[in-house]
Amino acid sequence: MMRPIRILVAKAGLDGHDRGAKVIARALRDAGFEVIYTGLHQTPEQVVDAALQEDVDGIGLSVLSGAHMTLFPRLRQLLDEQGASDIVLFGGGTIPNEDVAPLIAAGVAAVFTPGTPLAAIVDFVRKECARRVEA
Amino acid sequence: MLKDDVSVVKTIDDAGSSRNGAVRDAWQAQVQRAPLRAGAVDKTISDHPLKPLYGPDDVAEIDPERDLGYPGQYPFTRGIHPTMYRGRLWTMRQFAGFGTATQTNARYKFLLSQGQTGLSVAFDMPALMGYDSDHPRALGEVGKCGVAIATLDDMHDLFRGIDLGSITTSMTINCTAPVALAMYLAAAEEQGVPAEKLGGTLQNDMLKEYIAQKEWIYPPEPSMRIITDMMAYCAKHVPKWNTISVSGYHIREAGSTAVQELAFTLADGFAYVEAGIEAGMNVDDFAPRLSFFFNAHSDFFEEIAKFRAARRIWARHMRGRYNATNPRSWALRFHTQTAGCSATAQQPENNIMRTAFQALAAVLGGTQSLHTNSLDEVLALPTEKNVQIALRTQQVIAYETGAANVIDPLGGSYFMEKLTAEMEEQAEDYFRRIDEFGGVIPAIHAGFFQREIADASYAYQREIESGERIIVGVNDFINEEEPQISLLKIDRAMEQDQVARVRAFRSGRDGAKVADALAALKRAAESEDNLMPHYLHCVKSKATLGEISEELVPVFGRYREPAFV
């Protein structure tokens, strides 16, 4: 039997808005994934350390402070530097539509803007984060 | 058809005179025959059960003299002023701040020119968490969620050309509130305005930070000491200043129900009262300067009932439990903001209507001041155009709807009075549960509030997910094509400018003087001295917000939240 997909739900930066992160964490857990939550106010370095230590298949980053254009690319860069290019980075928060394309170009697999159904996020994780499990 | 109608009219007449319940029975019989529409709900947005109709039986226990009273009189259910909006309208106070102090100063002047009557400062995340703009952890966050304030120079620029003696200012800041207050006092002094003339509000509500907003430096216990020091200092030196704005707004935004918002906020308020009394103050010396801050969400009647219940609960506890004798200690004054979490990114123009209904609920609930959200705030800080629409919404309510003409116009409604009483009872249940933990701080350490809120927010999200709850434009009435709206962009060069400003400020000061002031603050923290004069001395000696905050970490420690989902 295949092991379950492991996801790190992360809050980086200084904002304390954890409502979305906690709802996503519960929804992913209810969908049968293993979920680890970093807690608040993590630096990108701390998030990457936790991801490697926990051997996760994907990181879901929540940013509601407007710092998404800094935090997402930094996280992707650190993961790649650590040889963890296979960890899928996705996320969401208060992210205007026009910022989505540049984030995708920076190596973010998916950006879920406000109002995205939980089921869409669960489907994404099931499809995109399974590769590492199968490998 | 016509025949049926006639017979109903006749029944009403009969029962109206005999009061034997026959009319009610006739109505119930009709209801039982009538089909309900699909999707009809029998609960509020907070899962509070509703009946289809309320009547005299629902208010049989309510004594108007005892439970409602009169406006301006105990227990203040109908409002805290004898004349309410007939005497003076609420203060229209739009929360604003972005970029540098100079950029935000221009927005303030715009808002004042548009008829706004008070200022409200939104600080950026680094300022809210105790980091200077040039700290590595501030990278990407400077000026984004609010205005970047790290130095006394920043505070000067923020209010340049605005007379602090003639305006009231609200500052939404918590763990760094003593630094912000010290900077404001120093800026006012340089304008020649004495502290005793200053009017305004600090949010300064750390308890709800641990519960919901999650911006902190030190653990709860030393945070309470800082707050009581500020209460004592302001009672003496800044008597018109509201030292704490006990906030339910963030609790609701984090996903709580209306009753949780009501109960947790008032429990926090009581905790501050108890802390003040324990610190040796007379309750009537500081309680009149406590104010509140609530959310106005979308369930119209539930929100109005919440505001009315809040006043009654506060009055009863302040008089009955804390033995306050000054009526101003009993009267709960509050600011309201419409619910940011109810705004949708889809069809954002619809947020104008949501905001208008929420604002009307706040007015019918008797708010003292009001912020109306702009339609674009779910995506970014608002543009000038959208802020203007939000402010105009308040002006339409004030001058066109007639809502301000009659005091507590829903008072006496069977439904409103029943709902108000039920919310009061449910809040009392929560107070008992919090007491079982040993009070608010032990309940925070146990994760009680955090779990209650997370459970409620997940339940709400699942209702949206299943379609049980309709959010217009999100899970029904969807437009396939979403037009782009233009958003306020914070120039990325702004961050570098601000970093350079902070560094220039540091290089242009007397380093020994800064070090002395910081050392004195630290010594005071280790003793029982009131910290506030030392904060003021640090600010005037040109210590920065980040330096002052960091100085006390070795004494007070740094808070770490137990992370759980």
Side-chain angles (χ1 to χ4, degrees):
Chain A
M1 204 183 116
M2 262 196 329
R3 68 170 174 86
I5 294 171
R6 283 167 75 80
I7 298 295
L8 183 70
V9 172
K11 281 294 300 180
L14 300 180
D15 83 280
H17 301 95
D18 59 3
R19 177 178 183 165
K22 287 190 168 181
V23 166
I24 297 295
R26 286 192 185 200
L28 294 178
R29 195 180 60 192
D30 287 357
F33 310 130
E34 284 184 9
V35 178
I36 302 117
Y37 172 50
T38 62
L40 288 162
H41 310 139
Q42 305 292 304
T43 62
E45 288 78 5
Q46 289 172 316
V47 173
V48 169
D49 283 352
L52 296 176
Q53 227 163 53
E54 298 285 349
D55 190 25
V56 298
D57 305 303
I59 302 176
L61 177 68
S62 162
V63 182
L64 285 90
S65 69
H68 49 274
M69 297 308 283
T70 305
L71 293 169
F72 276 99
R74 177 76 185 134
L75 204 52
R76 184 72 266 171
Q77 183 200 349
L78 286 169
L79 284 169
D80 294 348
E81 281 171 16
Q82 301 275 327
S85 308
D86 56 341
I87 296 182
V88 177
L89 175 62
F90 63 98
T94 46
I95 298 171
N97 277 333
E98 60 192 276
D99 289 347
V100 172
L103 288 174
I104 301 287
V108 181
V111 177
F112 300 105
T113 49
T116 306
L118 295 174
I121 300 169
V122 168
D123 283 349
F124 166 85
V125 168
R126 190 167 285 136
K127 281 199 193 97
E128 299 302 319
C129 300
R131 244 172 284 138
R132 217 173 151 273
V133 177
E134 289 156 4
Chain B
M1 195 64 211
L2 183 68
K3 211 179 159 191
D4 274 357
D5 285 349
V6 170
S7 74
V8 171
V9 170
K10 202 171 167 208
T11 318
I12 288 168
D13 271 344
D14 291 348
S17 54
S18 65
R19 295 176 185 278
N20 59 7
V23 188
R24 188 183 55 206
D25 296 347
W27 172 73
Q28 274 169 347
Q30 283 181 316
V31 166
Q32 268 159 15
R33 285 196 305 271
L36 286 183
R37 81 178 151 84
V41 283
D42 49 10
K43 60 186 185 182
T44 69
I45 204 167
S46 302
D47 270 340
H48 184 92
L50 292 175
K51 296 162 55 170
L53 186 79
Y54 290 78
D57 293 349
D58 292 298
V59 296
E61 306 281 303
I62 292 170
D63 176 343
E65 289 282 320
R66 179 194 65 198
D67 299 323
L68 306 186
Y70 282 80
Q73 287 184 45
Y74 185 89
F76 301 99
T77 310
R78 311 202 65 182
I80 60 161
H81 298 302
T83 55
M84 284 307 289
Y85 306 132
R86 301 186 62 81
R88 184 167 165 270
L89 286 170
W90 63 92
T91 303
M92 299 179 190
R93 195 190 292 284
Q94 296 294 103
F95 184 44
F98 59 93
T100 61
T102 305
Q103 287 173 298
T104 298
N105 176 267
R107 174 65 69 86
Y108 290 165
K109 286 176 176 164
F110 168 77
L111 286 166
L112 292 170
S113 76
Q114 295 296 308
Q116 175 166 298
T117 48
L119 293 179
S120 177
V121 184
F123 293 88
D124 71 357
M125 296 304 315
L128 292 176
M129 286 289 288
Y131 298 107
D132 286 338
S133 310
D134 61 339
H135 191 283
R137 296 203 63 156
L139 186 69
E141 315 243 16
V142 177
K144 284 274 166 56
C145 269
V147 60
I149 300 287
T151 70
L152 183 56
D153 281 4
D154 292 335
M155 192 63 95
H156 278 305
D157 287 349
L158 188 62
F159 295 107
R160 194 172 295 283
I162 298 169
D163 175 13
L164 298 181
S166 64
I167 192 108
T168 60
T169 305
S170 170
M171 292 192 273
T172 298
I173 194 159
N174 295 279
C175 61
T176 44
V179 185
L181 177 63
M183 286 181 174
Y184 192 80
L185 294 176
E189 193 178 304
E190 274 196 33
Q191 278 194 6
V193 182
E196 61 269 21
K197 277 208 166 153
L198 290 176
T201 304
L202 275 180
Q203 192 161 84
N204 200 25
D205 171 10
M206 281 308 297
L207 292 173
K208 69 92 179 49
E209 293 298 325
Y210 306 109
I211 292 173
Q213 184 164 247
K214 318 276 173 102
E215 287 150 18
W216 48 60
I217 305 172
Y218 321 119
E221 294 80 3
S223 293
M224 289 302 275
R225 181 253 172 114
I226 296 172
I227 291 168
T228 49
D229 280 1
M230 293 171 76
M231 281 164 37
Y233 181 88
C234 288
K236 211 165 165 189
H237 302 285
V238 204
K240 292 202 293 188
W241 198 268
N242 298 314
T243 45
I244 310 175
S245 169
V246 190
S247 303
Y249 184 80
H250 319 83
I251 292 172
R252 194 68 181 280
E253 289 289 299
S256 84
T257 64
V259 165
Q260 287 168 348
E261 178 195 355
L262 174 69
F264 298 172
T265 308
L266 291 178
D268 288 349
F270 299 142
Y272 292 120
V273 169
E274 288 165 19
I277 292 170
E278 270 170 43
M281 285 180 265
N282 179 336
V283 62
D284 286 316
D285 287 344
F286 64 88
R289 297 317 316 173
L290 299 177
S291 64
F292 286 80
F293 172 24
F294 289 111
N295 195 298
H297 209 291
S298 295
D299 197 305
F300 191 69
F301 296 105
E302 182 174 54
E303 293 303 282
I304 300 167
K306 178 185 77 184
F307 301 130
R308 300 173 86 249
R311 278 191 296 267
R312 187 156 76 206
I313 296 168
W314 184 251
R316 286 180 166 166
H317 283 252
M318 290 306 288
R319 193 169 85 170
R321 198 163 128 204
Y322 299 111
N323 303 316
T325 54
N326 181 350
R328 293 181 50 228
S329 299
W330 307 336
L332 178 144
R333 297 171 297 135
F334 69 102
H335 172 71
T336 308
Q337 180 171 340
T338 58
C341 62
S342 74
T344 65
Q346 293 75 15
Q347 304 174 41
E349 292 85 351
N350 295 345
N351 296 328
I352 298 174
M353 282 79 84
R354 292 189 178 98
T355 296
F357 295 127
Q358 294 165 0
L360 183 59
V363 169
L364 294 175
T367 196
Q368 274 59 62
S369 62
L370 180 59
H371 166 103
T372 33
N373 286 333
S374 300
L375 70 99
D376 51 350
E377 282 185 77
V378 68
L379 294 168
L381 295 183
T383 63
E384 204 160 87
K385 166 86 182 156
N386 292 332
V387 173
Q388 190 181 56
I389 294 172
L391 179 59
R392 294 288 180 258
T393 303
Q394 295 198 36
Q395 290 159 340
V396 168
I397 292 172
Y399 298 102
E400 297 183 20
T401 64
N405 294 342
V406 172
I407 302 165
D408 187 33
L410 292 175
S413 143
Y414 302 129
F415 175 37
M416 183 53 60
E417 295 305 349
K418 180 65 175 174
L419 195 54
T420 303
E422 285 174 342
M423 291 184 85
E424 180 178 9
E425 281 166 31
Q426 291 179 357
E428 292 290 348
D429 285 341
Y430 265 122
F431 299 152
R432 279 187 283 276
R433 290 174 69 184
I434 294 164
D435 283 345
E436 283 167 18
F437 282 96
V440 170
I441 291 179
I444 287 170
H445 288 310
F448 170 69
F449 303 106
Q450 300 93 312
R451 266 194 195 85
E452 286 284 308
I453 294 169
D455 288 348
S457 84
Y458 193 49
Y460 177 77
Q461 204 60 43
R462 301 215 48 110
E463 287 179 6
I464 295 171
E465 199 72 7
S466 69
E468 190 187 336
R469 189 172 292 288
I470 301 297
I471 307 293
V472 173
V474 174
N475 62 356
D476 205 348
F477 314 107
I478 296 166
N479 284 352
E480 289 309 326
E481 284 291 308
E482 284 284 343
Q484 295 280 324
I485 58 168
S486 62
L487 298 173
L488 181 79
K489 299 296 281 184
I490 307 296
D491 178 11
R492 297 188 82 181
M494 173 265 143
E495 180 162 311
Q496 286 141 30
D497 291 350
Q498 173 65 12
V499 166
R501 263 174 64 88
V502 174
R503 293 194 172 146
F505 179 87
R506 278 209 210 90
S507 61
R509 61 186 186 177
D510 179 344
K513 214 174 140 191
V514 176
D516 284 351
L518 288 171
L521 174 69
K522 193 175 178 185
R523 278 195 304 276
E526 286 159 346
S527 76
E528 308 242 295
D529 269 14
N530 190 308
L531 292 171
M532 208 47 227
H534 298 281
Y535 277 109
L536 198 55
H537 180 56
C538 283
V539 162
K540 288 183 178 175
S541 307
K542 299 199 170 185
T544 64
L545 175 138
E547 291 164 344
I548 296 170
S549 304
E550 198 59 39
E551 185 70 22
L552 298 184
V553 170
V555 184
F556 289 152
R558 200 178 273 286
Y559 181 66
R560 300 235 180 273
E561 182 184 49
F564 57 84
V565 169

